[in-house]
Amino acid sequence: MASKNKGKIHMRAQWGSNIGFILAAAGSAVGLGNIWKFPGRAYQGGGGAFILIYILIVAFIGAAVLLAELTVGRKTQKNVVGAYKALGHPRWKWVGGMGVLCGYIISCYYIQVGGWVLRYVFSYIFSADAVYADPNGYFSNMLGQNGFPWIGAVVCPLIFISATAVVLLKGISSGIERFSKIVMPALLAILVVLTVRSVTLPGADEGIKYLLTFDWSKLTASTLLSALGQAFYSLSLGMAIMITYGSYLKKEENLVKNTGLICTLDTVIALVAAFMIIPAVFATDVEPGIGGGFAFASLAGVFEKLPVGELFGVLFYLLLLVAALTSEISILEGTTAYVTEQWHWSRKKAIIVLAVSSFVIGIFYTLSQSYLPIKGIWMDITNGVQFPSFGDFMEYVTDRLLMPLGALLFCIFVGWVWKPKHAITEIEQHSVGFRLKKVWTVLIKFVAPAAIFAILVSGLLFGMSLS
Ligand code: TRP
């Protein structure tokens, strides 16, 4: 597609191959959420019952919204703000702007967490004993409990964001796509090795049984909402990402099939991650959990008990590193596409300014964990609302507010303003068949908005006790 850009004919970048696109989009979707959130949530939600509900939510709601995002992207061949204008609804462009903002804030903290993961790759190579000796102390030390966290907040995140920027500077097909084609198979290979190790541990069968047992009594409204929120987060929906990635797709590619493949890959990887984590923690008597404290501190208890545990530790943090890198690449690409197309910056300038600024802002995310006394001040500003830290506030604003709000407005836009029939025309060109178009229309107009509305309201009402 050529478009006029300040008098110059400007060729828009495209994916080189469909498999490259699938791996890049799956790379975006498969992130920390799959590996350190899903297994813990499946555990809390009672195992099999949660997993079943999660699969249904992805199949019906997640896939419907993902298909809509890819379709808007490919139809308009624009960034998320430009897309609304291109469809003739410039008044909606601020919904895209909200997505860009949300992506930018996530990028700030993802860089930091990616840096911590990198730190732990080194820790397990060189000084696993120091981690084992005091897992919690080691973790909070990295975050600045005993002095300015140079390594955790500055050095490692800087390496992480530099790697991201280098890939992005190479462009779409020779950067993002080539990188994804190399590291995604590596991610799968590591995941398989770790899962085989986990399920063959003595005592692992208890964990496997737990995941396959349907304990319906644990399936309450709040676990249902947790599954819904997890599905949206895991598929990277509600932000600038999937629209942008879809905008680099060729017209002859099959959007329906691609949506199915991305959802399947993301969900299978989350499921396998559950079978990697839960049997291992059952076998070693570690308490299953969610998030950083679990992934960085509790899991040391698992690695310590395994023969050649350091090796498995290195592999595990490499797995997290790949997952985090491909996700960070996609977040920054979404914002980069916006800045280059709407503000007419060069790609190089956009990437460098975005990378440097989100790196600098992100430092405060790590500092707020324990180094800076922001906690107290923050409580005053928020009138006593219990945000454990500035960092938690960033996560709250993105996961509970901007992301669901963006996704909700996006569904309303496609379902009621742009209209599903126009989307279906885009999907069905080049004689691509779309048998479920009636079902999809109902999903995008009614079911998905209602479900997202529930996430939004519950986030606002109960979201303060961040889990
Ligand atoms: N999907 C990512 C995960 O599972 C997290 C995420 C949410 C994300 N929104 C994103 C990643 C946007 C990249 C872009 O961890």
Side-chain angles (χ1 to χ4, degrees), residues 106-157:
I106 294 196
S107 167
C108 296
Y109 74 73
Y110 232 79
I111 294 171
Q112 293 293 311
V113 181
W116 306 349
V117 172
L118 182 63
R119 164 76 186 145
Y120 268 65
V121 173
F122 292 128
S123 303
Y124 273 82
I125 296 177
F126 297 112
S127 52
D129 289 340
V131 185
Y132 296 157
D134 179 9
N136 286 310
Y138 193 91
F139 180 49
S140 30
N141 202 18
M142 175 180 76
L143 303 182
Q145 184 110 75
N146 305 307
F148 191 85
W150 281 107
I151 297 189
V154 181
V155 177
C156 287

Short mmCIF file of all heavy atoms in Angstrom, two decimals, residues 106-157:
data_model
loop_
_atom_site.label_atom_id
_atom_site.label_comp_id
_atom_site.label_asym_id
_atom_site.label_seq_id
_atom_site.Cartn_x
_atom_site.Cartn_y
_atom_site.Cartn_z
N ILE A 106 2.29 0.71 30.32
CA ILE A 106 2.69 -0.70 30.50
C ILE A 106 4.16 -0.86 30.13
O ILE A 106 4.93 -1.54 30.81
CB ILE A 106 1.81 -1.65 29.67
CG1 ILE A 106 0.39 -1.63 30.21
CG2 ILE A 106 2.36 -3.06 29.70
CD1 ILE A 106 -0.47 -2.76 29.75
N SER A 107 4.54 -0.20 29.02
CA SER A 107 5.93 -0.31 28.59
C SER A 107 6.89 0.13 29.70
O SER A 107 7.90 -0.51 29.95
CB SER A 107 6.12 0.55 27.34
OG SER A 107 7.47 0.71 27.06
N CYS A 108 6.54 1.22 30.38
CA CYS A 108 7.41 1.73 31.46
C CYS A 108 7.69 0.64 32.49
O CYS A 108 8.82 0.44 32.91
CB CYS A 108 6.78 2.93 32.17
SG CYS A 108 6.56 4.35 31.11
N TYR A 109 6.66 -0.07 32.93
CA TYR A 109 6.94 -1.06 33.98
C TYR A 109 7.41 -2.40 33.44
O TYR A 109 8.15 -3.12 34.10
CB TYR A 109 5.81 -1.17 35.00
CG TYR A 109 4.54 -1.88 34.61
CD1 TYR A 109 4.50 -3.27 34.47
CD2 TYR A 109 3.35 -1.18 34.44
CE1 TYR A 109 3.31 -3.92 34.15
CE2 TYR A 109 2.17 -1.83 34.12
CZ TYR A 109 2.15 -3.20 33.98
OH TYR A 109 0.99 -3.86 33.66
N TYR A 110 7.00 -2.72 32.20
CA TYR A 110 7.47 -3.97 31.61
C TYR A 110 9.00 -3.95 31.45
O TYR A 110 9.66 -4.97 31.62
CB TYR A 110 6.81 -4.17 30.25
CG TYR A 110 6.14 -5.51 30.06
CD1 TYR A 110 4.90 -5.78 30.60
CD2 TYR A 110 6.77 -6.52 29.34
CE1 TYR A 110 4.29 -7.01 30.44
CE2 TYR A 110 6.16 -7.75 29.16
CZ TYR A 110 4.92 -8.00 29.71
OH TYR A 110 4.33 -9.22 29.53
N ILE A 111 9.55 -2.79 31.12
CA ILE A 111 11.01 -2.66 30.98
C ILE A 111 11.69 -3.02 32.29
O ILE A 111 12.70 -3.72 32.32
CB ILE A 111 11.39 -1.21 30.59
CG1 ILE A 111 10.85 -0.88 29.20
CG2 ILE A 111 12.90 -1.01 30.66
CD1 ILE A 111 11.00 0.59 28.84
N GLN A 112 11.11 -2.54 33.38
CA GLN A 112 11.71 -2.81 34.67
C GLN A 112 11.64 -4.30 35.02
O GLN A 112 12.63 -4.91 35.39
CB GLN A 112 11.00 -1.98 35.76
CG GLN A 112 11.22 -0.49 35.61
CD GLN A 112 12.66 -0.10 35.85
OE1 GLN A 112 13.26 -0.49 36.84
NE2 GLN A 112 13.23 0.67 34.95
N VAL A 113 10.45 -4.86 34.86
CA VAL A 113 10.29 -6.27 35.20
C VAL A 113 11.17 -7.13 34.29
O VAL A 113 11.80 -8.09 34.73
CB VAL A 113 8.81 -6.69 35.14
CG1 VAL A 113 8.66 -8.14 35.52
CG2 VAL A 113 7.98 -5.82 36.07
N GLY A 114 11.25 -6.74 33.00
CA GLY A 114 12.14 -7.45 32.09
C GLY A 114 13.58 -7.38 32.61
O GLY A 114 14.33 -8.37 32.53
N GLY A 115 13.95 -6.23 33.14
CA GLY A 115 15.29 -6.08 33.71
C GLY A 115 15.51 -7.01 34.91
O GLY A 115 16.56 -7.63 35.03
N TRP A 116 14.51 -7.11 35.75
CA TRP A 116 14.64 -8.03 36.91
C TRP A 116 14.84 -9.45 36.44
O TRP A 116 15.64 -10.20 37.00
CB TRP A 116 13.40 -8.01 37.80
CG TRP A 116 12.96 -6.68 38.30
CD1 TRP A 116 13.63 -5.48 38.23
CD2 TRP A 116 11.70 -6.39 38.94
NE1 TRP A 116 12.87 -4.49 38.78
CE2 TRP A 116 11.69 -5.02 39.22
CE3 TRP A 116 10.59 -7.16 39.30
CZ2 TRP A 116 10.60 -4.40 39.86
CZ3 TRP A 116 9.53 -6.56 39.92
CH2 TRP A 116 9.53 -5.18 40.21
N VAL A 117 14.09 -9.84 35.39
CA VAL A 117 14.21 -11.20 34.88
C VAL A 117 15.64 -11.44 34.39
O VAL A 117 16.26 -12.46 34.69
CB VAL A 117 13.20 -11.45 33.73
CG1 VAL A 117 13.44 -12.79 33.08
CG2 VAL A 117 11.76 -11.37 34.25
N LEU A 118 16.15 -10.45 33.65
CA LEU A 118 17.53 -10.57 33.15
C LEU A 118 18.51 -10.72 34.32
O LEU A 118 19.42 -11.55 34.29
CB LEU A 118 17.86 -9.31 32.35
CG LEU A 118 19.24 -9.27 31.70
CD1 LEU A 118 19.37 -10.39 30.67
CD2 LEU A 118 19.46 -7.92 31.02
N ARG A 119 18.29 -9.94 35.35
CA ARG A 119 19.13 -10.02 36.54
C ARG A 119 19.15 -11.45 37.09
O ARG A 119 20.18 -11.96 37.49
CB ARG A 119 18.58 -9.05 37.60
CG ARG A 119 19.08 -9.26 38.99
CD ARG A 119 20.47 -8.72 39.10
NE ARG A 119 21.09 -9.01 40.38
CZ ARG A 119 22.38 -9.27 40.52
NH1 ARG A 119 23.15 -9.30 39.48
NH2 ARG A 119 22.88 -9.48 41.70
N TYR A 120 17.97 -12.08 37.10
CA TYR A 120 17.88 -13.43 37.67
C TYR A 120 18.50 -14.48 36.76
O TYR A 120 18.94 -15.52 37.25
CB TYR A 120 16.43 -13.78 38.02
CG TYR A 120 16.12 -13.43 39.47
CD1 TYR A 120 16.14 -12.11 39.90
CD2 TYR A 120 15.87 -14.42 40.41
CE1 TYR A 120 15.89 -11.78 41.21
CE2 TYR A 120 15.62 -14.10 41.74
CZ TYR A 120 15.62 -12.78 42.13
OH TYR A 120 15.39 -12.47 43.44
N VAL A 121 18.55 -14.21 35.45
CA VAL A 121 19.28 -15.14 34.58
C VAL A 121 20.74 -15.16 35.05
O VAL A 121 21.33 -16.21 35.28
CB VAL A 121 19.20 -14.70 33.10
CG1 VAL A 121 20.11 -15.58 32.24
CG2 VAL A 121 17.77 -14.77 32.60
N PHE A 122 21.28 -13.96 35.27
CA PHE A 122 22.68 -13.88 35.74
C PHE A 122 22.82 -14.47 37.14
O PHE A 122 23.77 -15.17 37.45
CB PHE A 122 23.16 -12.42 35.75
CG PHE A 122 23.30 -11.84 34.37
CD1 PHE A 122 22.69 -10.64 34.04
CD2 PHE A 122 24.04 -12.50 33.39
CE1 PHE A 122 22.81 -10.09 32.77
CE2 PHE A 122 24.17 -11.97 32.11
CZ PHE A 122 23.55 -10.76 31.81
N SER A 123 21.86 -14.17 38.01
CA SER A 123 21.95 -14.66 39.39
C SER A 123 22.03 -16.18 39.42
O SER A 123 22.81 -16.75 40.18
CB SER A 123 20.75 -14.22 40.21
OG SER A 123 20.64 -12.83 40.19
N TYR A 124 21.20 -16.85 38.60
CA TYR A 124 21.21 -18.31 38.63
C TYR A 124 22.44 -18.89 37.95
O TYR A 124 22.83 -20.01 38.23
CB TYR A 124 19.90 -18.88 38.06
CG TYR A 124 18.84 -19.00 39.12
CD1 TYR A 124 18.07 -17.90 39.49
CD2 TYR A 124 18.66 -20.19 39.83
CE1 TYR A 124 17.12 -17.99 40.49
CE2 TYR A 124 17.72 -20.30 40.84
CZ TYR A 124 16.95 -19.20 41.16
OH TYR A 124 16.02 -19.29 42.17
N ILE A 125 23.06 -18.09 37.05
CA ILE A 125 24.31 -18.59 36.47
C ILE A 125 25.45 -18.47 37.47
O ILE A 125 26.22 -19.39 37.69
CB ILE A 125 24.67 -17.80 35.18
CG1 ILE A 125 23.61 -18.04 34.11
CG2 ILE A 125 26.04 -18.23 34.65
CD1 ILE A 125 23.83 -17.25 32.81
N PHE A 126 25.52 -17.29 38.13
CA PHE A 126 26.73 -17.01 38.91
C PHE A 126 26.57 -17.18 40.42
O PHE A 126 27.54 -17.46 41.12
CB PHE A 126 27.22 -15.59 38.62
CG PHE A 126 27.64 -15.41 37.20
CD1 PHE A 126 26.91 -14.59 36.35
CD2 PHE A 126 28.74 -16.09 36.68
CE1 PHE A 126 27.27 -14.42 35.02
CE2 PHE A 126 29.12 -15.94 35.36
CZ PHE A 126 28.38 -15.10 34.52
N SER A 127 25.37 -16.95 40.94
CA SER A 127 25.30 -16.96 42.40
C SER A 127 23.96 -17.49 42.91
O SER A 127 23.30 -16.85 43.73
CB SER A 127 25.54 -15.54 42.93
OG SER A 127 24.66 -14.65 42.27
N ALA A 128 23.60 -18.67 42.44
CA ALA A 128 22.32 -19.25 42.88
C ALA A 128 22.31 -19.42 44.40
O ALA A 128 21.26 -19.27 45.03
CB ALA A 128 22.10 -20.58 42.18
N ASP A 129 23.47 -19.71 44.98
CA ASP A 129 23.50 -19.91 46.44
C ASP A 129 23.03 -18.68 47.19
O ASP A 129 22.37 -18.79 48.22
CB ASP A 129 24.92 -20.26 46.89
CG ASP A 129 25.28 -21.67 46.42
OD1 ASP A 129 24.34 -22.44 46.12
OD2 ASP A 129 26.49 -21.98 46.35
N ALA A 130 23.38 -17.51 46.66
CA ALA A 130 22.96 -16.28 47.34
C ALA A 130 21.44 -16.14 47.26
O ALA A 130 20.82 -15.66 48.22
CB ALA A 130 23.64 -15.07 46.69
N VAL A 131 20.84 -16.57 46.16
CA VAL A 131 19.38 -16.51 46.07
C VAL A 131 18.76 -17.49 47.05
O VAL A 131 17.85 -17.15 47.81
CB VAL A 131 18.89 -16.84 44.64
CG1 VAL A 131 17.38 -16.66 44.53
CG2 VAL A 131 19.60 -15.98 43.60
N TYR A 132 19.29 -18.73 47.07
CA TYR A 132 18.73 -19.76 47.95
C TYR A 132 18.83 -19.35 49.41
O TYR A 132 17.95 -19.65 50.21
CB TYR A 132 19.48 -21.09 47.79
CG TYR A 132 19.36 -21.72 46.41
CD1 TYR A 132 20.32 -22.62 45.96
CD2 TYR A 132 18.27 -21.44 45.58
CE1 TYR A 132 20.22 -23.21 44.70
CE2 TYR A 132 18.16 -22.02 44.33
CZ TYR A 132 19.14 -22.91 43.89
OH TYR A 132 19.03 -23.49 42.66
N ALA A 133 19.94 -18.70 49.76
CA ALA A 133 20.20 -18.39 51.17
C ALA A 133 19.08 -17.52 51.75
O ALA A 133 18.69 -17.69 52.91
CB ALA A 133 21.55 -17.69 51.32
N ASP A 134 18.58 -16.59 50.95
CA ASP A 134 17.52 -15.71 51.45
C ASP A 134 16.72 -15.18 50.25
O ASP A 134 16.93 -14.05 49.80
CB ASP A 134 18.17 -14.55 52.22
CG ASP A 134 17.11 -13.57 52.74
OD1 ASP A 134 15.91 -13.90 52.65
OD2 ASP A 134 17.50 -12.50 53.23
N PRO A 135 15.81 -16.00 49.73
CA PRO A 135 15.11 -15.62 48.48
C PRO A 135 14.40 -14.27 48.58
O PRO A 135 14.50 -13.46 47.66
CB PRO A 135 14.10 -16.75 48.29
CG PRO A 135 14.64 -17.90 49.04
CD PRO A 135 15.40 -17.32 50.21
N ASN A 136 13.71 -14.03 49.69
CA ASN A 136 12.99 -12.76 49.80
C ASN A 136 13.94 -11.59 49.93
O ASN A 136 13.74 -10.54 49.32
CB ASN A 136 12.04 -12.79 51.00
CG ASN A 136 10.83 -13.63 50.73
OD1 ASN A 136 10.18 -13.48 49.70
ND2 ASN A 136 10.56 -14.58 51.62
N GLY A 137 14.99 -11.79 50.73
CA GLY A 137 15.98 -10.73 50.93
C GLY A 137 16.67 -10.39 49.62
O GLY A 137 16.88 -9.22 49.29
N TYR A 138 17.01 -11.43 48.86
CA TYR A 138 17.70 -11.21 47.59
C TYR A 138 16.83 -10.39 46.65
O TYR A 138 17.28 -9.45 46.00
CB TYR A 138 18.02 -12.56 46.94
CG TYR A 138 18.99 -12.46 45.79
CD1 TYR A 138 20.37 -12.58 45.99
CD2 TYR A 138 18.53 -12.23 44.49
CE1 TYR A 138 21.25 -12.47 44.94
CE2 TYR A 138 19.41 -12.12 43.42
CZ TYR A 138 20.78 -12.25 43.66
OH TYR A 138 21.65 -12.13 42.61
N PHE A 139 15.55 -10.73 46.63
CA PHE A 139 14.60 -10.03 45.75
C PHE A 139 14.43 -8.57 46.20
O PHE A 139 14.56 -7.64 45.40
CB PHE A 139 13.26 -10.78 45.77
CG PHE A 139 12.19 -10.17 44.90
CD1 PHE A 139 12.45 -9.82 43.58
CD2 PHE A 139 10.91 -9.97 45.40
CE1 PHE A 139 11.46 -9.28 42.77
CE2 PHE A 139 9.91 -9.42 44.61
CZ PHE A 139 10.19 -9.08 43.30
N SER A 140 14.20 -8.35 47.49
CA SER A 140 13.97 -6.97 47.90
C SER A 140 15.26 -6.15 47.84
O SER A 140 15.22 -4.93 47.65
CB SER A 140 13.30 -6.85 49.27
OG SER A 140 13.63 -7.90 50.09
N ASN A 141 16.38 -6.83 47.96
CA ASN A 141 17.65 -6.13 47.79
C ASN A 141 17.79 -5.62 46.36
O ASN A 141 18.20 -4.47 46.13
CB ASN A 141 18.78 -7.10 48.11
CG ASN A 141 20.04 -6.38 48.48
OD1 ASN A 141 20.00 -5.19 48.83
ND2 ASN A 141 21.16 -7.08 48.40
N MET A 142 17.39 -6.45 45.40
CA MET A 142 17.45 -6.02 44.00
C MET A 142 16.55 -4.81 43.77
O MET A 142 16.82 -3.96 42.93
CB MET A 142 17.00 -7.17 43.09
CG MET A 142 16.91 -6.78 41.62
SD MET A 142 16.40 -8.14 40.57
CE MET A 142 14.65 -8.23 40.90
N LEU A 143 15.47 -4.72 44.56
CA LEU A 143 14.53 -3.62 44.39
C LEU A 143 14.89 -2.40 45.23
O LEU A 143 14.15 -1.41 45.25
CB LEU A 143 13.12 -4.07 44.74
CG LEU A 143 12.59 -5.26 43.96
CD1 LEU A 143 11.18 -5.60 44.37
CD2 LEU A 143 12.65 -5.00 42.47
N GLY A 144 16.00 -2.46 45.96
CA GLY A 144 16.45 -1.25 46.64
C GLY A 144 16.18 -1.19 48.13
O GLY A 144 16.24 -0.12 48.73
N GLN A 145 15.95 -2.34 48.74
CA GLN A 145 15.73 -2.33 50.19
C GLN A 145 16.94 -1.78 50.95
O GLN A 145 16.79 -1.07 51.92
CB GLN A 145 15.45 -3.76 50.65
CG GLN A 145 15.12 -3.85 52.11
CD GLN A 145 13.66 -4.21 52.27
OE1 GLN A 145 13.28 -5.35 52.07
NE2 GLN A 145 12.85 -3.23 52.58
N ASN A 146 18.14 -2.13 50.46
CA ASN A 146 19.35 -1.72 51.20
C ASN A 146 20.24 -0.81 50.37
O ASN A 146 21.42 -1.03 50.24
CB ASN A 146 20.17 -2.95 51.60
CG ASN A 146 19.35 -3.93 52.38
OD1 ASN A 146 18.73 -3.56 53.36
ND2 ASN A 146 19.30 -5.17 51.91
N GLY A 147 19.66 0.20 49.77
CA GLY A 147 20.47 1.12 48.98
C GLY A 147 19.96 1.21 47.56
O GLY A 147 19.15 0.39 47.13
N PHE A 148 20.45 2.23 46.86
CA PHE A 148 19.91 2.50 45.53
C PHE A 148 20.05 1.29 44.62
O PHE A 148 21.15 0.75 44.46
CB PHE A 148 20.62 3.71 44.91
CG PHE A 148 19.91 4.19 43.67
CD1 PHE A 148 18.85 5.08 43.78
CD2 PHE A 148 20.29 3.75 42.42
CE1 PHE A 148 18.17 5.51 42.64
CE2 PHE A 148 19.63 4.19 41.28
CZ PHE A 148 18.56 5.06 41.40
N PRO A 149 18.95 0.84 44.00
CA PRO A 149 18.99 -0.40 43.20
C PRO A 149 19.56 -0.20 41.81
O PRO A 149 18.85 -0.29 40.82
CB PRO A 149 17.52 -0.81 43.14
CG PRO A 149 16.75 0.46 43.26
CD PRO A 149 17.58 1.40 44.09
N TRP A 150 20.86 0.04 41.72
CA TRP A 150 21.47 0.29 40.41
C TRP A 150 21.21 -0.82 39.43
O TRP A 150 20.85 -0.60 38.27
CB TRP A 150 22.99 0.48 40.56
CG TRP A 150 23.33 1.85 41.06
CD1 TRP A 150 23.76 2.18 42.31
CD2 TRP A 150 23.22 3.07 40.32
NE1 TRP A 150 23.93 3.54 42.40
CE2 TRP A 150 23.61 4.11 41.20
CE3 TRP A 150 22.84 3.40 39.02
CZ2 TRP A 150 23.63 5.45 40.81
CZ3 TRP A 150 22.86 4.73 38.62
CH2 TRP A 150 23.25 5.73 39.52
N ILE A 151 21.42 -2.06 39.91
CA ILE A 151 21.31 -3.18 38.98
C ILE A 151 19.87 -3.45 38.59
O ILE A 151 19.53 -3.58 37.41
CB ILE A 151 21.97 -4.43 39.60
CG1 ILE A 151 23.45 -4.11 39.79
CG2 ILE A 151 21.75 -5.66 38.73
CD1 ILE A 151 24.30 -5.27 40.19
N GLY A 152 18.98 -3.47 39.60
CA GLY A 152 17.58 -3.83 39.35
C GLY A 152 16.80 -2.74 38.63
O GLY A 152 15.89 -3.04 37.85
N ALA A 153 17.13 -1.47 38.89
CA ALA A 153 16.31 -0.40 38.30
C ALA A 153 16.97 0.27 37.11
O ALA A 153 16.30 0.91 36.31
CB ALA A 153 15.99 0.66 39.36
N VAL A 154 18.29 0.17 37.01
CA VAL A 154 18.97 0.92 35.96
C VAL A 154 19.71 0.01 34.97
O VAL A 154 19.37 -0.02 33.78
CB VAL A 154 19.96 1.96 36.56
CG1 VAL A 154 20.64 2.74 35.44
CG2 VAL A 154 19.22 2.89 37.52
N VAL A 155 20.69 -0.75 35.45
CA VAL A 155 21.56 -1.47 34.52
C VAL A 155 20.79 -2.54 33.73
O VAL A 155 20.79 -2.54 32.49
CB VAL A 155 22.75 -2.12 35.28
CG1 VAL A 155 23.61 -2.94 34.31
CG2 VAL A 155 23.57 -1.05 35.97
N CYS A 156 20.11 -3.43 34.44
CA CYS A 156 19.43 -4.52 33.72
C CYS A 156 18.26 -4.01 32.86
O CYS A 156 18.14 -4.42 31.70
CB CYS A 156 18.99 -5.60 34.70
SG CYS A 156 20.39 -6.56 35.28
N PRO A 157 17.41 -3.11 33.39
CA PRO A 157 16.36 -2.57 32.50
C PRO A 157 16.94 -1.86 31.28
O PRO A 157 16.37 -1.94 30.18
CB PRO A 157 15.61 -1.59 33.40
CG PRO A 157 15.80 -2.14 34.78
CD PRO A 157 17.18 -2.70 34.79
#
